[in-house]
Amino acid sequence: MRHTLILMRHAKSSWDDFNQPDHARPLNKRGRASAHALGKWLAQKHLLPDEVLCSSSERTRETLDRLTLPTIAKVSHLDAIYLASADTMLHHLRKAEQPTILMIGHNPGIAHFADQLATQTPNHPRFQDYPTAATTIFHFNLNHWKDAQYSAGQIVDFVIPRELMARDTDL
């Protein structure tokens, strides 16, 4: 059975208030536009998650909200995914119950996680540094997420919002 992981780094956050705790930073104007563009792209590709695993930070929550996806059956805001390592993200992915999962997290862990999951990394200059709002679509051949392993995800798409917005004026 095919399972799909939409692995997304949060959109660009604001640094307007340097006294604000990192966990509480919201998105900036560019981040809000990027999240909207990603949501539209996901909808156009019919890549709508059945379940969301999202860091508990303000910028990941706002990224999710601004995707403006239709109602999702299950959304989990997890403290454990905030600045998590690849191993921690894999641990939580293995607990997922639905076939299409959206996971929203932070660097450097999410870039390492994407790299570790891939059977083959894409030929894209930004994949290794995984800039804000970078999104990878993985397909896995599994019966259950509990069986997910590193080096088992086939990358079917990788995108950064800047490219989306440059090529599609409707976004």
Side-chain angles (χ1 to χ4, degrees):
M1 181 177 175
R2 185 172 83 187
H3 281 56
T4 301
L5 173 63
I6 305 162
L7 188 64
M8 182 181 293
R9 183 178 173 199
H10 64 81
K12 187 79 173 160
S13 59
S14 173
W15 287 93
D16 288 346
D17 181 356
F18 286 100
N19 293 319
Q20 191 168 41
D22 181 71
H23 194 271
R25 284 190 294 116
L27 298 182
N28 66 14
K29 183 179 178 181
R30 186 176 109 200
R32 292 188 298 271
S34 294
H36 175 75
L38 282 169
K40 189 168 184 177
W41 177 76
L42 289 171
Q44 288 171 347
K45 292 192 152 289
H46 305 287
L47 284 168
L48 301 176
D50 304 308
E51 183 176 351
V52 176
L53 305 174
C54 183
S55 161
S56 60
S57 76
E58 178 61 29
R59 60 192 178 273
T60 52
R61 287 173 173 264
E62 190 177 353
T63 298
L64 175 59
D65 290 345
R66 291 191 179 271
L67 293 174
T68 61
L69 300 173
T71 304
I72 300 162
K74 183 177 180 186
V75 176
S76 300
H77 297 283
L78 304 169
D79 290 335
I81 296 178
Y82 174 65
L83 304 178
S85 69
D87 288 344
T88 297
M89 285 187 256
L90 180 60
H91 172 77
H92 286 280
L93 178 61
R94 286 177 175 159
K95 293 180 180 182
E97 299 169 355
Q98 300 299 318
T100 301
I101 304 298
L102 168 60
M103 183 179 273
I104 306 175
H106 308 264
N107 256 353
I110 202 159
H112 186 235
F113 189 44
D115 186 60
Q116 293 296 305
L117 287 175
T119 55
Q120 183 174 352
T121 59
N123 185 19
H124 191 287
R126 298 303 308 271
F127 182 76
Q128 295 302 320
D129 68 320
Y130 225 80
T132 52
T135 301
T136 305
I137 309 301
F138 289 93
H139 285 169
F140 291 83
N141 187 18
L142 322 156
N143 290 322
H144 305 281
W145 282 112
K146 67 181 175 135
D147 300 323
Q149 299 291 326
Y150 288 139
S151 301
Q154 177 189 3
I155 294 178
V156 294
D157 216 335
F158 173 76
V159 70
I160 59 174
R162 183 168 289 178
E163 294 169 347
L164 282 179
M165 293 186 285
R167 70 179 180 223
D168 190 344
T169 57
D170 289 336
L171 294 174

